[in-house]
Amino acid sequence: MLGLRAKGQNVKSQEIVSKSCSLFQDVSCYDIFKDFSGPIIAVLIAFFSIRFAFAQLDKQHQNTLDAQKEESKRNTKIELFKDINLLLDNVSSIVREVNTFCLARQHPAPGTPIELSQTDYEAFSAKLNHGLLAVISKVESHEIINQKLFKAFRYSLEAIVYDISDLRFSDDRRLVLDSMHELGSDASCYLYDFQICMQNLAYGDVFDHKLSARVPVDKTLKVITADSDSLDALLNHFSNETNWGKSWKSYENEAKEKCS
């Protein structure tokens, strides 16, 4: 009895296996793939679509941040230009006053002395140096915007301030007159150069246009531009070839000797 029951179970097992095998034999791999390909492709499309969407959002976010950063930099340059321009206008008016006075004394009306008195020198030098030092301080505190340009401009004005102050030791009143006029003219040129550079920095991208640098007739005269090589040459000139630069180097060397 037990043998017959076991035999019956074996027959059923064989039938199940046989039916299972016949099921897979009747269905090809293509049919299986065809049945499941739709859902699989849909899942893959959804996955990559979501991933692409997040990538696009990240890119748009970064582009927005970059645009905001550039806008902030542009606005900073514009605001700085406005602040500095007020100082430049102020000192430019002082320079014009000094130059006009000196020019009138160099080509005087009958009876007018061809010299700059000590009293006139002290008044004009104090006024001019005060205006130049205000510009120097402002430029130095914002040097990070364009280090070479701002430093070259600052050095040019510091060299002028030094030479103006040094004239107080001269007894040659005509020499003082001519020197004050020359230094005032140099200051006027450098102020103009820097205004051109600042306009290009602040508004060049906004108006898609840049102003040309000053072109002096006398090619030996210095011109401040935003060109990197020219700025290197100017920094070298003001640091090593002017009275201010030489004096500063001497002071620096003396300080190093004392500390060594």
Side-chain angles (χ1 to χ4, degrees):
M1 188 71 179
L2 291 173
L4 291 173
R5 189 175 295 174
K7 185 177 181 180
Q9 290 177 348
N10 289 336
V11 171
K12 288 182 179 180
S13 297
Q14 290 175 357
E15 289 178 354
I16 292 172
V17 172
S18 176
K19 288 180 179 180
S20 299
C21 292
S22 63
L23 175 64
F24 285 101
Q25 287 175 354
D26 294 338
V27 180
S28 66
C29 292
Y30 171 76
D31 292 330
I32 295 174
F33 177 77
K34 183 177 67 175
D35 292 338
F36 288 97
S37 62
I40 292 173
I41 292 174
V43 170
L44 290 174
I45 290 175
F47 171 76
F48 285 108
S49 296
I50 293 172
R51 186 171 182 179
F52 178 76
F54 276 108
Q56 286 296 103
L57 288 174
D58 287 341
K59 185 177 180 180
Q60 291 176 2
H61 179 64
Q62 187 60 48
N63 289 340
T64 301
L65 291 177
D66 291 342
Q68 290 175 346
K69 182 179 179 180
E70 290 301 316
E71 182 69 16
S72 177
K73 288 168 63 177
R74 186 182 300 112
N75 290 337
T76 300
K77 291 177 182 177
I78 291 174
E79 290 304 315
L80 176 61
F81 172 73
K82 291 178 180 178
D83 291 343
I84 291 181
N85 201 49
L86 291 175
L87 294 174
L88 296 181
D89 286 344
N90 177 60
V91 74
S92 292
S93 66
I94 298 173
V95 170
R96 286 192 294 271
E97 180 184 354
V98 173
N99 285 351
T100 300
F101 183 88
C102 291
L103 190 62
R105 288 300 176 90
Q106 287 174 326
H107 306 280
T112 304
I114 309 176
E115 63 179 28
L116 188 66
S117 68
Q118 184 66 22
T119 301
D120 289 333
Y121 160 76
E122 289 176 356
F124 283 128
S125 63
K127 196 173 183 180
L128 183 54
N129 280 349
H130 178 76
L132 292 174
L133 288 171
V135 175
I136 289 170
S137 178
K138 185 70 173 182
V139 170
E140 186 175 19
S141 65
H142 292 81
E143 208 165 90
I144 192 172
I145 291 178
N146 191 318
Q147 187 174 10
K148 277 188 182 181
L149 173 61
F150 280 44
K151 183 174 287 187
F153 177 59
R154 177 166 61 85
Y155 281 11
S156 72
L157 299 187
E158 287 180 337
I160 290 174
V161 169
Y162 182 91
D163 285 344
I164 290 175
S165 300
D166 200 45
L167 289 173
R168 69 186 184 276
F169 300 113
S170 177
D171 293 327
D172 188 339
R173 307 320 305 171
R174 179 58 194 257
L175 175 63
V176 173
L177 172 65
D178 293 339
S179 297
M180 280 292 288
H181 184 240
E182 182 179 353
L183 291 169
S185 298
D186 288 344
S188 180
C189 290
Y190 296 149
L191 292 169
Y192 174 82
D193 291 342
F194 191 68
Q195 277 190 319
I196 294 296
C197 292
M198 284 299 297
Q199 285 188 68
N200 289 336
L201 279 174
Y203 301 120
D205 293 336
V206 177
F207 297 105
D208 195 26
H209 176 71
K210 291 190 176 182
L211 299 174
S212 300
R214 175 173 57 91
V215 182
V217 176
D218 185 353
K219 301 304 179 183
T220 63
L221 297 177
K222 304 301 179 184
V223 179
I224 298 175
T225 70
D227 178 71
S228 181
D229 292 338
S230 296
L231 289 173
D232 286 335
L234 284 173
L235 288 170
N236 179 69
H237 167 74
F238 292 124
S239 298
N240 300 303
E241 299 176 23
T242 63
N243 295 327
W244 166 79
K246 293 174 183 177
S247 176
W248 178 255
K249 289 289 184 183
S250 176
Y251 172 79
E252 189 178 49
N253 291 333
E254 289 178 5
K256 288 180 179 178
E257 289 178 2
K258 290 180 180 179
C259 295
S260 61

